[in-house]
């Protein structure tokens, strides 16, 4: 069985490497050639286009930035759709609109291709360690067939519902993470402004009900002034936009997600989009 | 050495019981007699007023709802101040304004009384189990002298700064907890509105970067419809008010804390103030 992999970015490349380590026979494609060459060097085959990759594999993974990228790569000219055969499975691990994900699955179904949406959580660290959380939408039978693939890159692997449900759960996850980042930044900034030791505050808070993985992972970086991206601020913004878009489609109000999006924009507007999400603290430094 | 304890509410009573278990000789006071009688039954002495308790003890603990309560009990007519002697220590474990806490410590200092502000985190469960987080403000020497008392009721015990610093850290903790509750509620509500299994979403989120003690403790209650208070919604509101008041004194903007306060008010306005903080989910049920 051959597995295709399209999208070898900050997440995709280490995921592909872990699949190679687990013995999968990969064929890959990426717009820029650098990660392709890196995989070539360890014996991985390169496809010449998404279409070419699709023709050569049985299961195809896409790991791309946003909805339009997946639409283009799967349904566009020279895209996956031109190379598929019935029985193939597309696993889209990108974080995109649940609605777009369902639409793509419907087009693929017409060609006898099954789709799973399987976005991940855990950042670059989880991708490198093969410890990602994977939230999957689609048919149970297809999910079970793909389990060996998921196991090679993730730890918590849950089928959460039908097509699109994986994306919905991912957006809920992103809403929770982004607002948790805001909670940390408002707490830390209030403490600093009041002239109290922020490190000690974090120590106590993380020993109680306020403890979170966000604080455990990001507060030490803020205290050290390390703004390098584990997850980029502009991608967090993209996910908040997708969540707010979903809420709009559902006619549902998410006041704090909306405000969180605006506050992240302060940091983005100051040119911090390529920094890690912990750079949100800079927005609060500007506030006073 | 005799220890006084004033304020035997949902938190104070189990704390006093743990101190008795650890061998402390207590003298207690509470406005309503029910918890006093409960402690009487296990051999604990009752004082007739805050003044009377102060006259009988070397270390005095207060555990009261809000700033005016502590001002009244400590500095009011028949209050602690009328019964103190030099060398006594007052440990105020209430969550109150850092500014008021400092003011009280200054009045007490004139009578040779040392004060620590030592608010706690961990809720009724932590109070019963003796596993509270205690964030202490005051002098190091006094803090060390009181350590046996703290150890009888808490686990994470940190001196975070001078007088008032304990209260500041507690308010930071409450800001973080309250916004984490909002993050959970917006995520869960979006998931429900999108028709996706909320329990599975929580399972995945709590296996990744979105994991928090708030989700671990409160999401199961929401899923079971259990709104019984571990920590009352109206007291969470009181703490948000104190945090926003501190921010105002510092001329510092906390936009998400402000909005969180408003959203908690939706639930409070619907008569849910005596329910647990997880009842915030009802505000989102109203939103759609």
């Amino acid at each position: 069985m051959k597995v295709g992999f399209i999208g070898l970015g900050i997440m995709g490349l280490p995921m592909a490497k872990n699949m190679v380590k687990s013995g999968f026979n990969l064929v890959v494609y990426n717009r820029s050639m650098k990660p392709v060459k890196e995989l070539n060097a360890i014996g991985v085959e390169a496809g010449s286009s998404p279409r070419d990759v699709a023709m050569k594999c049985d299961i195809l993974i896409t790991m791309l930035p946003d909805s339009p990228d997946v639409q283009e790569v799967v349904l566009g000219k020279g895209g996956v759709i031109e190379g598929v055969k019935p029985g193939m499975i597309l696993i889209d691990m990108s974080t995109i609109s649940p609605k777009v994900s369902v639409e793509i699955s419907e087009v693929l179904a017409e060609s006898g291709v099954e789709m799973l949406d399987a976005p991940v959580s855990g950042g670059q660290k989880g991708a490198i360690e093969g410890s990602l959380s994977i939230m999957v939408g689609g048919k149970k039978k297809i999910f079970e067939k793909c389990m060996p693939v998921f196991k090679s890159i993730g730890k918590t692997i849950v089928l959460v519902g039908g097509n699109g449900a994986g994306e919905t759960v991912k957006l809920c996850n992103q809403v929770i993470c982004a607002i948790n980042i805001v909670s940390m930044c408002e707490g830390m900034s209030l403490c600093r402004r009041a002239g109290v030791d922020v490190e000690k505050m974090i120590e106590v808070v993380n020993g109680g009900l306020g403890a979170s993985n966000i604080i455990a992972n990001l507060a030490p970086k803020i205290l050290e002034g390390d703004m390098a991206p584990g997850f980029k601020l502009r991608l967090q913004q993209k996910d908040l936009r997708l969540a707010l878009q979903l809420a709009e489609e559902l006619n549902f109000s998410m006041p704090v997600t909306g405000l969180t999006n605006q506050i992240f924009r302060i940091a983005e507007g100051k040119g911090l989009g390529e920094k890690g999400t912990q750079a949100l603290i800079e927005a609060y430094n500007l506030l006073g």
Side-chain angles (χ1 to χ4, degrees), chain A:
Chain A
M1 189 184 68
K2 207 145 193 169
V3 177
F5 203 116
I6 299 176
L8 302 166
I10 192 173
M11 295 291 290
L13 180 60
M15 286 161 71
K17 281 183 185 170
N18 279 327
M19 293 179 60
V20 172
K21 262 185 224 160
S22 294
F24 285 101
N25 189 5
L26 290 196
V27 48
V28 302
Y29 177 81
N30 194 61
R31 221 168 23 181
S32 75
M33 283 306 288
K34 194 169 170 260
V36 177
K37 281 180 187 155
E38 199 177 326
L39 289 174
N40 255 164
I42 54 168
V44 173
E45 184 184 352
S48 59
S49 68
R51 175 178 171 276
D52 184 43
V53 170
M55 287 176 69
K56 287 174 176 160
C57 69
D58 311 288
I59 293 180
L60 198 163
I61 295 170
T62 46
M63 186 63 182
L64 299 159
D66 203 350
S67 312
D69 306 299
V70 180
Q71 285 172 313
E72 168 75 20
V73 162
V74 177
L75 306 179
K77 200 171 139 48
V80 169
I81 192 80
E82 297 178 4
V84 296
K85 51 197 166 299
M88 232 190 89
I89 301 172
L90 176 76
I91 309 175
D92 180 31
M93 305 195 83
S94 324
T95 299
I96 66 168
S97 151
K99 196 174 144 194
V100 170
S101 186
V102 169
E103 285 165 6
I104 294 173
S105 76
E106 286 167 354
V107 176
L108 289 172
E110 291 168 16
S111 303
V113 176
E114 292 285 350
M115 178 165 161
L116 299 174
D117 49 305
V120 302
S121 173
Q124 193 185 16
K125 189 166 172 277
I128 291 169
E129 291 170 355
S131 63
L132 294 166
S133 290
I134 312 178
M135 35 219 103
V136 188
K139 291 181 192 153
K140 188 151 190 269
K141 207 180 67 185
I142 306 300
F143 170 72
E144 280 163 359
K145 214 166 164 180
C146 295
M147 194 49 109
V149 173
F150 291 137
K151 280 196 172 154
S152 70
I153 50 176
K155 217 168 52 181
T156 309
I157 303 154
V158 185
L159 181 69
V160 295
N163 284 116
E167 296 296 350
T168 296
V169 166
K170 175 67 189 284
L171 296 184
C172 295
N173 183 74
Q174 295 305 81
V175 160
I176 290 171
C177 286
I179 302 178
N180 280 4
I181 293 169
V182 164
S183 77
M184 172 182 68
C185 289
E186 291 211 358
M188 289 178 85
S189 305
L190 179 64
C191 191
R192 176 181 61 78
R193 276 297 303 261
V196 173
D197 189 320
V198 181
E199 200 167 340
K200 283 192 178 144
M201 183 277 283
I202 288 296
E203 182 191 340
V204 186
V205 170
N206 230 20
L209 192 55
S212 68
N213 268 353
I214 287 290
I215 291 183
N217 284 311
L218 298 183
K221 291 189 181 185
I222 290 175
L223 290 167
E224 288 160 18
D226 171 11
M227 297 297 151
F231 184 59
K232 285 183 184 174
L233 200 140
R234 71 173 168 80
L235 292 176
Q236 179 71 74
Q237 277 292 64
K238 181 212 80 177
D239 294 348
L240 286 176
R241 176 175 50 71
L242 289 171
L244 290 165
Q245 195 179 306
L246 172 60
E248 192 175 344
E249 287 159 18
L250 297 165
N251 243 328
F252 181 62
S253 171
M254 301 184 78
V256 177
T257 305
L259 182 54
T260 295
N261 176 242
Q262 294 297 318
I263 293 182
F264 268 96
R265 190 166 298 155
I266 299 175
E268 221 184 352
K270 292 290 164 185
L272 300 168
E274 298 296 323
K275 302 284 183 189
T277 48
Q278 71 273 24
L280 186 73
I281 196 75
E282 300 291 350
Y284 284 92
N285 292 342
L286 291 169
L287 293 181

